[in-house]
Amino acid sequence: MRRRTVTAGAGLEEVLDTLAAAPAAREEAAAPAPARPRERETLQTEFAFELPRGYVDDEGQVHRNGTMRLATARDELRPQIDLRVKENPAYLSVVLLSQVITQLGPVTDVHAGIVERMYATDVAFLQDFYRRINSEGHTHAAVTCPLCHGSFEVDLSGGRLGES
């Protein structure tokens, strides 16, 4: 407990007023700021892409533009029980891509048969695109230039989305 000394110039009333105001000021300072409405965070879950060659449908139409959504744990686990994947592990990427591609041109029902009929270049592009959007930031590394000793970040997965 702090001791207060009352001098002849200060009256008892003045000291009591000062003491009464001090706890209120401390409470005000200790009280958290009023909660302002939190801005709603949005997470981008779908990403547009353009295939290098394009998917050719039954009518001969070429579809190059599409969208892919972020993968869920279920998307990653489901191919593990697929019989086609058990027979041929390389088929895993076909099943996985067919689950996360939400649109390919006007086609909204993208299934394994569509991915099977894509050119190898486009499948490789989609595998890279999948890896890039689902690892977001995990392919960056901090490096230091051996000549100038400047620090910067490098994307180990390549350049722009879809490039190797």
Side-chain angles (χ1 to χ4, degrees), residues 83-107:
L83 294 177
R84 298 169 294 188
V85 175
K86 286 185 177 184
E87 289 175 9
N88 182 3
Y91 202 74
L92 183 132
S93 64
V94 171
V95 174
L96 187 56
L97 289 173
S98 70
Q99 293 180 126
V100 296
I101 297 172
T102 57
Q103 184 176 351
L104 190 55
V107 180

Side-chain angles (χ1 to χ4, degrees), residues 38-91:
R38 285 178 61 185
E39 290 182 23
R40 188 172 177 183
E41 286 186 36
T42 58
L43 174 66
Q44 183 179 359
T45 59
E46 288 201 344
F47 300 84
F49 61 83
E50 184 176 332
L51 296 173
R53 299 220 186 265
Y55 165 69
V56 181
D57 65 15
D58 294 332
E59 287 81 40
Q61 293 284 343
V62 178
H63 306 291
R64 294 185 69 199
N65 296 314
T67 56
M68 182 184 292
R69 67 174 172 77
L70 291 176
T72 63
R74 176 175 281 164
D75 294 326
E76 296 262 343
L77 294 171
R78 187 176 290 150
Q80 301 297 328
I81 60 171
D82 191 299
L83 294 177
R84 298 169 294 188
V85 175
K86 286 185 177 184
E87 289 175 9
N88 182 3
Y91 202 74

